[in-house]
Amino acid sequence: MKQRIITALLLAPLVIAGIFWLPQSGFILALGVVTLLGLWEWTQFVSSSSRYLALLPGLVVGAISYWLLVPQLSVLSALQPMHYGILVIGSLWWIVASGLAITYPKSRACWENSNAVRHLFGVLTLLPFFWSVIFLRSEHIVSDSYHGAKLVLYVCLIVWAADSGAYFSGKSFGKRKMAPAVSPNKTIEGLVGGVIAAMLVGWLCASWFNIQFASTTIMLLTILVTVVISVLGDLVESMFKRVSGIKDSSKIIPGHGGILDRVDSLTAAFPVFALCYFLF
């Protein structure tokens, strides 16, 4: 626990500094490295003679999406149909993935023996996450260079608040298990506590960051949907690790495991939040 706290205290300021102070090109590069490391860790969930070969499908799809979308970012004043398509696909994936996690182990037979499906799951997990973060960071970047950075940090804060709220409320009141076959420690009571904590932090930070929603109701509904999906996103990665017999996706972050272990909730939260934010 001590090592986890020290690492978190060192990483958090670096993450926040990167969100606000890196130029757009530098931010894309840094997020690309994080996504690439996540794809590398995902290769453990795929049966292959070589992890380098298992990395290729994600790299190819990622390169194609980069070639198609990056030139548009410099003139992005409003999302285009292709951008919305990525957010819709990412959000739909997390609805499907959440169903797989909740119904595990019954759902295991649907995908366990298919390498192609496992590759697809990895791409659907990480690429919509990458692009949704970029879309939010690019929002109004010409008129206000910090507006998009505030949006990105906003999503991080509500997810972190939800994680903390779920942990403490689950420890204190948790009785009913969400998905005991995947993660015995996650409870309905913890989820409720996480949602309440996230809504409080989201309401305060929306005012502080001057983030505009159509109404308070829309803001709270957006936070609710984002948090529920983020909690289920954590379950999804736990499901894949359980099937693959892996405890941590890697040991790259001392005391915290791998990249996927740290961003599992965020990979689910960002596409869903971005879709709700841009639609409403």
Side-chain angles (χ1 to χ4, degrees):
M1 179 60 72
K2 181 179 178 181
Q3 189 179 44
R4 287 173 65 90
I5 293 172
I6 292 173
T7 302
L9 290 175
L10 291 173
L11 282 180
L14 290 175
V15 170
I16 294 171
I19 291 172
F20 279 89
W21 294 337
L22 282 175
Q24 186 75 334
S25 58
F27 183 79
I28 292 173
L29 177 60
L31 187 62
V33 170
V34 171
T35 306
L36 180 59
L37 289 172
L39 282 171
W40 173 252
E41 292 176 356
W42 194 276
T43 60
Q44 298 172 99
F45 305 151
V46 178
S47 298
S48 176
S49 58
S50 167
R51 290 184 66 182
Y52 294 102
L53 288 176
L55 189 63
L56 281 178
L59 286 178
V60 170
V61 176
I64 293 171
S65 70
Y66 187 87
W67 176 71
L68 289 173
L69 295 175
V70 160
Q72 301 180 35
L73 293 178
S74 59
V75 294
L76 184 63
S77 56
L79 292 193
Q80 304 303 312
M82 186 182 296
H83 305 135
Y84 278 111
I86 289 174
L87 297 180
V88 169
I89 290 170
S91 299
L92 288 176
W93 155 242
W94 285 109
I95 294 173
V96 172
S98 299
L100 293 177
I102 292 171
T103 57
Y104 181 87
K106 291 182 180 179
S107 63
R108 181 172 177 170
C110 299
W111 55 269
E112 182 182 9
N113 296 318
S114 173
N115 258 357
V117 172
R118 292 195 187 202
H119 278 299
L120 178 63
F121 287 176
V123 170
L124 291 173
T125 295
L126 288 160
L127 282 187
F129 159 70
F130 173 83
W131 286 115
S132 58
V133 176
I134 298 302
F135 295 159
L136 288 171
R137 179 64 154 56
S138 302
E139 173 78 348
H140 298 318
I141 194 169
V142 175
S143 58
D144 181 358
S145 59
Y146 289 121
H147 176 72
K150 291 176 184 177
L151 280 173
V152 173
L153 181 58
Y154 184 80
V155 180
C156 292
L157 289 175
I158 62 175
V159 170
W160 295 339
D163 287 345
S164 299
Y167 175 80
F168 289 110
S169 59
K171 282 284 187 181
S172 302
F173 310 109
K175 292 181 180 179
R176 287 169 289 187
K177 308 294 184 182
M178 288 181 60
V182 177
S183 182
N185 295 326
K186 291 195 181 298
T187 62
I188 300 295
E189 293 80 4
L191 175 61
V192 172
V195 168
I196 293 171
M199 284 186 171
L200 178 60
V201 169
W203 178 68
L204 292 172
C205 289
S207 177
W208 184 23
F209 292 167
N210 194 28
I211 294 175
Q212 302 296 320
F213 290 88
S215 67
T216 301
T217 300
I218 292 295
M219 178 189 70
L220 294 178
L221 286 175
T222 298
I223 293 171
L224 172 63
V225 173
T226 300
V227 168
V228 170
I229 291 295
S230 76
V231 171
L232 293 172
D234 187 20
L235 286 176
V236 170
E237 202 223 340
S238 297
M239 175 182 70
F240 287 124
K241 289 193 295 185
R242 184 173 291 275
V243 170
S244 301
I246 298 167
K247 183 178 185 297
D248 294 322
S249 57
S250 75
K251 300 186 182 301
I252 193 172
I253 307 174
H256 289 264
I259 295 294
L260 290 177
D261 298 320
R262 290 305 92 207
V263 303
D264 47 10
S265 298
L266 293 173
T267 56
F270 267 103
V272 172
F273 177 89
L275 181 62
C276 292
Y277 178 79
F278 287 120
L279 279 179
F280 305 113

